[in-house]
Amino acid sequence: MNRASHQHRLGGAVAVLIALLAVAAALTAGHLVAALTEPLASPYLAVGNTAIDLAPQPVKELAIELFGTADKLALLVGMGIVIAALAAVGGLVSRRTPLPGMTMITGFGLLGMAATVSRSSLDPLALTAPVTAALVGVGAFAWLHRTASVKPQGDEPTSAQSGRDAEREDAEREETTTEGAAGGRRRFLISGVAVALASGAAGTVGQLLSGARRVSRSRQAIGALEPDVAAPPVPVGADFAESGTPTFITRNENFYRIDTALRVPRVPASEWGLRVHGMVDRELNLTFDDLMNRRQLQKPITMVCVSNPVGGSYISTAEFIGVPVRDILAESGVRDGAEQVLSTSVDDFTAGTPIDALTDPNRDALLAVGMNGGPLPTEHGFPVRMVTPGLYGYVSATKWVTDLEITTWDARTYWEKRGWAERAPVKTQSRIDRPKGFEKTPAGRITVAGIAWAPHTGIERVEVRVDQGAWRAAELSAAVNTDTWRMWRIELDLPPGGHNVESRATDRSGYTQTAKRVPTVPDGATGRHSIFFTAE
């Protein structure tokens, strides 16, 4: 009897389970190998990062609008759902033969290889991750399919047998078939559990080896930071938190985060390096210790994301500690004709910062190693990031920075290729934090409070008006420096009913925040923030 006669059509649930287990085995095996070679080559992450790079700008903006800082998590979950759905389809069309499912997993592997190759910074060794994923996935699918599709055997009766013998043979055959079916189910169950356990172990070990623990130990070893030039103490009255504004310094865990990294890069300080090259007299190659041995200063800086809409939350302030970028550029010797510093992250993100902003002695652009007294948090760029006051982050604040190329504006950056502006100074804006939109508050004396910002220019005044009435000056908090936000508040006597409150800021150059609404693309939103609330 040939082998085909011992196989049968799989049930739909079993076929789907086989496909899901095989795909899980592929992804976790690839993740484990990537942890040993190049973490960013993990197939799931490589494909996700490529999807981010290739997504049209409107899609990126929609994702940020819908999910905010959880946009990367939403992408990962969405990818998981799509992969599971495709795996289920692949399993269902493989109920008779494993070939369709094996072809599907091979296709996943090729997609992972293409995504890995597209990451220009990855070593060719990184291809071992998607190749391993494909091989393991195909092998697991074939093995599970074979285990589940073996049909229990029994001897066929012959015409020479007597009726009583035939009945006895039938009974024995039924008993053998039942025992064989139970044994087959046990074999498949054991095989499936083995694949699931192996996948879980591979994923766990891969996650442990991918650098999280090493980076945690690296941060702990650095400990508290003591700058050579400490910032003056934040004065009393720098915020009106009791009136509803944020605190002047944003806690690390509350600091906004928008970046292109699907997986936060994890680079121990001992493995970090910075290359300074291009239009310079002397190329520099710096280690983390080199940076720590240089003059470090501390400065409160407000950072704003260009994706921040009018009244948005993508703005925070921290005390950063780092080496002035101008010191590094002076040592390397910037040549005539240089226009920008093209900074590159370990995950291939690029930003272009004007040379004049980085060399401005009054701006204090930093290669930051610390944030609010300790080393940078991993998600905010550990071990080193750029921070440049007065410019939106996409042109000035590369996290996990590892390369500075001094060049001209001909070099195009990550976001410029996607339609964003070449230069992006932060625009003068204000926001109302209290009352909240559509809030109900007691009528009578009402406190309206918020923030205003014009980094590297400074806020001169903030005005508020109610129901299109006259503008009234608000009280400003104590000024810290021109590179940080400023809080404001005003007391209003309002009767019961609905009210609309609007704010506008004027910076120290004399510019007053425009009422004209424009979207975030290509260089930041404008318009006045207003909220409607009800006094009762």
Side-chain angles (χ1 to χ4, degrees):
M1 187 174 295
N2 60 36
R3 181 179 174 184
S5 64
H6 299 318
Q7 296 183 341
H8 65 287
R9 180 183 175 91
L10 299 179
V14 171
V16 170
L17 179 60
I18 288 172
L20 292 175
L21 287 172
V23 169
L27 292 176
T28 54
H31 190 63
L32 174 58
V33 172
L36 297 170
T37 55
E38 170 50 66
L40 291 177
S42 178
Y44 198 70
L45 299 175
V47 171
N49 281 322
T50 301
I52 291 174
D53 289 347
L54 297 178
Q57 186 55 40
V59 174
K60 293 177 184 286
E61 293 174 20
L62 179 62
I64 293 175
E65 181 179 345
L66 292 176
F67 303 108
T69 56
D71 58 336
K72 309 300 184 301
L73 176 61
L75 174 61
L76 288 173
V77 172
M79 284 176 56
I81 293 173
V82 171
I83 290 173
L86 292 175
V89 173
L92 290 174
V93 298
S94 303
R95 296 173 69 182
R96 290 192 180 278
T97 172
L99 185 59
M102 293 167 67
T103 302
M104 172 197 69
I105 294 177
T106 300
F108 284 164
L110 292 174
L111 183 61
M113 294 177 207
T116 301
V117 169
S118 71
R119 313 300 291 183
S120 60
S121 64
L122 299 186
D123 188 275
L125 184 64
L127 279 172
T128 56
V131 170
T132 300
L135 293 176
V136 169
V138 169
F141 192 95
W143 180 45
L144 291 172
H145 195 283
R146 183 170 60 251
T147 302
S149 60
V150 173
K151 183 178 180 180
Q153 300 181 51
D155 295 332
E156 297 294 332
T158 64
S159 58
Q161 289 178 309
S162 66
R164 182 174 297 178
D165 289 341
E167 289 178 1
R168 185 172 61 254
E169 290 292 338
D170 286 342
E172 292 176 353
R173 186 180 301 108
E174 182 176 352
E175 181 179 353
T176 301
T177 300
T178 301
E179 293 176 353
R185 286 193 294 269
R186 283 196 299 272
R187 285 193 297 272
F188 174 68
L189 179 61
I190 292 171
S191 300
V193 170
V195 170
L197 291 176
S199 299
T204 301
V205 174
Q207 194 66 18
L208 292 176
L209 292 177
S210 63
R213 287 192 173 183
R214 289 191 301 145
V215 168
S216 178
R217 289 194 296 267
S218 182
R219 292 185 71 250
Q220 291 174 2
I222 294 170
L225 297 174
E226 296 183 4
D228 299 292
V229 182
V234 175
V236 175
D239 65 47
F240 295 141
E242 73 279 5
S243 297
T245 72
T247 56
F248 180 78
I249 295 295
T250 309
R251 295 173 59 89
N252 289 353
E253 59 268 27
N254 296 331
F255 203 98
Y256 83 89
R257 177 192 163 206
I258 294 289
D259 52 52
T260 64
L262 188 56
R263 172 190 179 275
V264 174
R266 294 181 171 91
V267 182
S270 60
E271 298 178 13
W272 178 84
L274 177 69
R275 181 188 178 205
V276 184
H277 63 107
M279 298 175 65
V280 296
D281 296 328
R282 292 169 297 280
E283 182 172 319
L284 301 179
N285 288 281
L286 306 175
T287 66
F288 188 77
D289 287 341
D290 292 333
L291 213 58
M292 294 297 288
N293 290 330
R294 292 168 181 266
R295 181 180 72 98
Q296 305 229 348
L297 61 85
Q298 178 186 45
K299 183 171 183 178
I301 296 173
T302 293
M303 297 183 63
V304 191
C305 181
V306 72
S307 296
N308 199 39
V310 173
S313 60
Y314 301 147
I315 176 171
S316 304
T317 299
E319 286 190 314
F320 290 97
I321 297 173
V323 175
V325 179
R326 63 176 177 271
D327 291 357
I328 303 297
L329 296 180
E331 183 174 338
S332 62
V334 177
R335 294 177 182 170
D336 292 340
E339 297 172 315
Q340 69 167 328
V341 172
L342 184 71
S343 54
T344 303
S345 167
V346 296
D347 66 344
D348 278 346
F349 173 83
T350 55
T353 313
I355 288 283
D356 55 4
L358 297 176
T359 56
D360 182 353
N362 298 315
R363 193 181 290 257
D364 292 330
L366 301 176
L367 283 172
V369 298
M371 182 176 178
N372 291 336
L376 290 169
T378 307
E379 64 272 18
H380 288 293
F382 180 83
V384 182
R385 70 170 299 169
M386 287 183 65
V387 180
T388 310
L391 302 179
Y392 285 119
Y394 84 98
V395 299
S396 69
T398 301
K399 290 184 275 194
W400 315 288
V401 63
T402 190
D403 188 277
L404 299 180
E405 181 184 3
I406 289 72
T407 183
T408 67
W409 289 118
D410 290 336
R412 307 294 287 173
T413 65
Y414 182 93
W415 285 112
E416 284 179 65
K417 295 175 182 177
R418 292 159 175 80
W420 293 79
E422 184 177 83
R423 297 172 182 262
V426 177
K427 297 178 179 179
T428 300
Q429 287 277 21
S430 62
R431 184 184 78 195
I432 301 169
D433 288 275
R434 178 183 176 185
K436 300 295 183 184
F438 302 105
E439 181 180 343
K440 292 182 179 180
T441 186
R445 197 142 184 92
I446 296 173
T447 299
V448 179
I451 60 175
W453 61 95
H456 206 57
T457 303
I459 291 295
E460 180 66 28
R461 67 178 181 273
V462 173
E463 298 166 294
V464 174
R465 68 177 178 181
V466 181
D467 301 330
Q468 298 296 308
W471 289 102
R472 297 176 55 185
E475 175 190 1
L476 293 179
S477 63
V480 176
N481 63 44
T482 59
D483 292 326
T484 54
W485 55 12
R486 207 162 177 190
M487 316 302 178
W488 58 267
R489 66 184 175 189
I490 188 171
E491 299 290 330
L492 301 173
D493 289 312
L494 298 177
H499 300 285
N500 188 81
V501 175
E502 184 179 7
S503 68
R504 70 180 183 185
T506 299
D507 62 35
R508 292 185 178 179
S509 73
Y511 172 80
T512 298
Q513 178 182 348
T514 179
K516 182 180 180 181
R517 287 263 183 164
V518 301
T520 56
V521 180
D523 60 357
T526 66
R528 295 175 185 158
H529 188 214
S530 64
I531 60 107
F532 178 85
F533 68 98
T534 302
E536 297 182 325

